[in-house]
Amino acid sequence: MTSFKLFMAYPGVFYSDDGQILRAMQTASNNGSMIMMHAENGIAIDVLIAQALAEGKTDPRYHSLTRPWETEAEATNRAIMLARMTGAPLYVVHMSAKQAVKILQETRDEGWNVFGETCPQYLYLSLEDHLSQPGFEGAKWVCSTPLRSKAEGHQDELWKYLRTNDLSVVSTDHCPFCFKEQKELGLGNFSKIPNGIGTVEHRMDLIYQGVVDGQITLERWVELCSTTPARMFGLYGRKGAIQPGFDADIVIYDPAGRTEIGLHKTHHMNMDHSAWEGVVIDGHVDTVISRGRIVVENNEYHGAKGHGQFLKRGLSQYLL
Ligand SMILES: [Zn+2]
């Protein structure tokens, strides 16, 4: 294993204190591994949650309002400072606050090995349009870091940071829950809603729409979704490019096609709703080839059990 995810977010559940983080980073700095950080100030967030619930604020939108951008920016800054003390590379996962990325940008400009990723939900979805939907609907979009306010302008800034490579990767933080019996655990108490959105099968389509919308170039789409992740996590040489010696993993994409995301359309994940219901993409996956074998064609899956191979990752090939 060459990368390790730590959490600053969930005291009592998943949580590393500053001393533990520092020790992990010292070790990473010695053996060349990468520390991935879920950067939110969980101690402060837990106070805000308790206060909101005491005031009777129980709807899903309070999930975002009790995790304000400051909690992400503060934790990101602290993680960066701890990493700088040790010289370890740092990769901040699923960033959604523009202020947090700004701190990352300033540190990158000074030449440090600090990196950030964001996810489609933070580029397209928002506190106002999704998390604040009437009743309990907003529970579909409860994830952490949270969807943020459009009025605060995070979404546009994140696209900008994808263009400037201050955000280097688009991942999904794929973590699906059914609405029935799972998301419903948080009826009457937003803090009991399981955190997570299922996006993994839509990532390439959703980020391709950024090309159509003029947010990123075609080449940057490939870089953000394939090449950089492969280099960041030590798979370059086999994955991340179409070159002699690499695996023949190829998506043939039809820019004249159209994809409507939703249940009974493009949805194959084992969950009873789609966080992306009704979203239309101005493009379509034509063919998917895995190690030279066609696994998707004409909207049908032709893969087989046993085709997958375990790959041992090397150290990051992306460091300065
Ligand atoms: Zn996380």
Side-chain angles (χ1 to χ4, degrees), residues 111-187:
W112 292 88
N113 277 314
V114 294
F115 312 100
E117 65 165 34
T118 191
C119 312
Q121 55 266 36
Y122 306 125
L123 297 164
Y124 290 109
L125 311 180
S126 69
L127 167 65
E128 293 92 336
D129 294 340
H130 300 87
L131 215 43
S132 300
Q133 285 194 10
F136 191 61
E137 275 298 288
K140 290 177 185 170
W141 297 283
V142 165
C143 59
S144 294
T145 62
L147 302 191
R148 298 204 180 275
S149 160
K150 248 183 358 189
E152 288 178 1
H154 298 280
Q155 292 79 357
D156 288 346
E157 283 291 291
L158 295 182
W159 279 114
K160 186 193 86 182
Y161 286 127
L162 288 175
R163 290 192 290 275
T164 59
N165 200 36
D166 291 301
L167 290 170
S168 307
V169 170
V170 179
S171 68
T172 57
D173 197 28
H174 180 75
C175 187
F177 292 98
C178 282
F179 201 78
K180 253 192 184 342
E181 290 174 16
Q182 294 189 319
K183 290 285 184 183
E184 281 177 351
L185 293 170
L187 267 167

